[in-house]
Amino acid sequence: MNSSNETKPKATSGTASAIVNDDEEFNSFEGTRFYFYLDEKTNRWYISGASDEDHLGQYQYISLWLPNEGDVVKKTYAIVDDHGAQGKANASWTKATSSSFRPYTAISGSVTVTLNSNLQTVESTFEFAAQSGSKTVSLTQGEMKLQGFTEDKKARASGLVACNLSESINERYESNETGFNKRGETGSFPAYLQAWSRQFTSKPDFKDYVLSINIAEGLSRGTYSFSPESKQVRLFFFHILEGFVWSAESGTVTFNSIPDFEAIKGKLSGTFNFVGTAELGDGSQLVLRADNGSFNLEQ
């Protein structure tokens, strides 16, 4: 378990840029915040850059997942949409606000990488086409140069988040990966603790879901209502493979216990239910319902 003076991430520095094509809101990307680490669970390198917020509170980030093949020099990987493909890379471009999150999953492209694990450096050039629902964007002239591994990006936790899903997804969600993040103020939402969970299974029943609850700093135990405008709690459910994200528009969450916000230590336990909608490119919506939800996590 990490001590309190180890909870802040070790900074990764660098630069990242790209041309964004076919999006009505963004035409370029410039990174100001970065992550670079080896995910030991999947044995894949993760590198990403996030932009600052614009005047509307919108921001972007680009993520690349690379095979761990040791140190490489100018090695080119095909970018595919199958996260289980051996020797291939994956990518995504996301635009978000404090109350919305729309990932575009790369369906084709390539990335050329030079990586030195001893020096903790990675340089990459890339281009890819990405999809979210019926919408497609492309990123060209992409470049990311990073130095320094990001340490303790996420405080891993033990425990379980579970609920019964219906409407757009009809199955039981049971996480097999959980953790906590500390986030600063974003747009209309104050600084918060993010309790995240993931249900990931490989082929033949390949699925990748993420459920996160954003808890405003200083919140006490009790019952709160979900809404996109809430300044206390917000919930998001992500269908990573399909590129859908549902924001809880109604429902409640009851916190029986909440971890210490500064040290991210202690237990988070409670129950929840929600109804959320995901916006599609043609203007239609997908509804997702979760009932009998529960969480019991501890750092």
Side-chain angles (χ1 to χ4, degrees), residues 161-165 172-173 270-274 289-295:
V161 179
C163 61
N164 297 325
L165 301 172
R172 182 162 175 78
Y173 174 85
T271 59
F272 67 94
N273 64 82
F274 71 87
R289 178 184 296 274
D291 295 300
N292 300 317
S294 63
F295 49 88

Side-chain angles (χ1 to χ4, degrees), residues 19 32 82 90 112 162 174 212 225 257:
I19 303 298
T32 57
D82 181 357
N90 307 108
T112 299
E174 291 190 355
S212 69
S225 297
S257 60

Side-chain angles (χ1 to χ4, degrees), residues 76-139:
T76 299
Y77 299 98
I79 294 175
V80 299
D81 61 354
D82 181 357
H83 276 252
Q86 295 296 313
K88 308 295 184 182
N90 307 108
S92 68
W93 173 74
T94 299
K95 56 181 181 179
T97 67
S98 60
S99 60
S100 66
F101 182 95
R102 185 165 190 177
Y104 286 70
T105 301
I107 55 176
S108 63
S110 63
V111 55
T112 299
V113 181
T114 296
L115 190 150
N116 188 307
S117 57
N118 290 325
L119 297 178
Q120 299 188 12
T121 58
V122 61
E123 297 185 7
S124 66
T125 56
F126 56 88
E127 59 180 22
F128 60 83
Q131 254 180 356
S132 176
S134 61
K135 294 196 64 176
T136 301
V137 300
S138 64
L139 273 70

Side-chain angles (χ1 to χ4, degrees), residues 181-192:
N181 289 332
K182 281 179 20 179
R183 302 293 193 193
E185 180 181 353
T186 56
S188 63
F189 201 72
Y192 62 95

Side-chain angles (χ1 to χ4, degrees), residues 64-274:
L64 297 169
W65 293 265
L66 309 171
N68 179 20
E69 298 182 341
D71 294 348
V72 294
V73 177
K74 293 185 177 179
K75 178 150 187 182
T76 299
Y77 299 98
I79 294 175
V80 299
D81 61 354
D82 181 357
H83 276 252
Q86 295 296 313
K88 308 295 184 182
N90 307 108
S92 68
W93 173 74
T94 299
K95 56 181 181 179
T97 67
S98 60
S99 60
S100 66
F101 182 95
R102 185 165 190 177
Y104 286 70
T105 301
I107 55 176
S108 63
S110 63
V111 55
T112 299
V113 181
T114 296
L115 190 150
N116 188 307
S117 57
N118 290 325
L119 297 178
Q120 299 188 12
T121 58
V122 61
E123 297 185 7
S124 66
T125 56
F126 56 88
E127 59 180 22
F128 60 83
Q131 254 180 356
S132 176
S134 61
K135 294 196 64 176
T136 301
V137 300
S138 64
L139 273 70
T140 55
Q141 300 180 40
E143 185 174 293
M144 200 177 300
K145 297 181 180 180
L146 306 181
Q147 182 168 12
F149 294 151
T150 308
E151 296 181 355
D152 299 323
K153 172 180 177 284
K154 294 178 178 178
R156 298 285 171 171
S158 60
L160 177 69
V161 179
C163 61
N164 297 325
L165 301 172
S166 60
E167 303 284 350
S168 298
I169 302 174
N170 292 284
E171 59 184 89
R172 182 162 175 78
Y173 174 85
E174 291 190 355
S175 65
N176 50 24
E177 185 177 355
T178 56
F180 298 120
N181 289 332
K182 281 179 20 179
R183 302 293 193 193
E185 180 181 353
T186 56
S188 63
F189 201 72
Y192 62 95
L193 177 68
Q194 180 188 60
W196 61 269
S197 66
R198 181 188 187 198
Q199 181 182 21
F200 178 86
T201 60
S202 58
K203 291 183 176 181
D205 184 23
F206 190 32
K207 65 182 64 173
D208 195 352
Y209 301 140
V210 172
L211 187 154
S212 69
I213 303 175
N214 298 347
I215 308 163
E217 186 171 2
L219 206 66
S220 58
R221 292 181 297 170
T223 299
Y224 302 88
S225 297
F226 290 123
S227 77
E229 295 79 29
S230 172
K231 297 185 184 300
Q232 298 173 316
V233 291
R234 295 182 184 177
L235 182 147
F236 300 94
F237 188 91
F238 308 97
H239 190 324
I240 302 299
L241 302 179
E242 297 294 336
F244 297 145
V245 56
W246 287 268
S247 173
E249 296 188 346
S250 63
T252 60
V253 57
T254 297
F255 297 108
N256 298 325
S257 60
I258 298 178
D260 176 83
F261 280 84
E262 183 61 31
I264 323 183
K265 290 183 179 180
K267 181 178 291 187
L268 178 72
S269 63
T271 59
F272 67 94
N273 64 82
F274 71 87

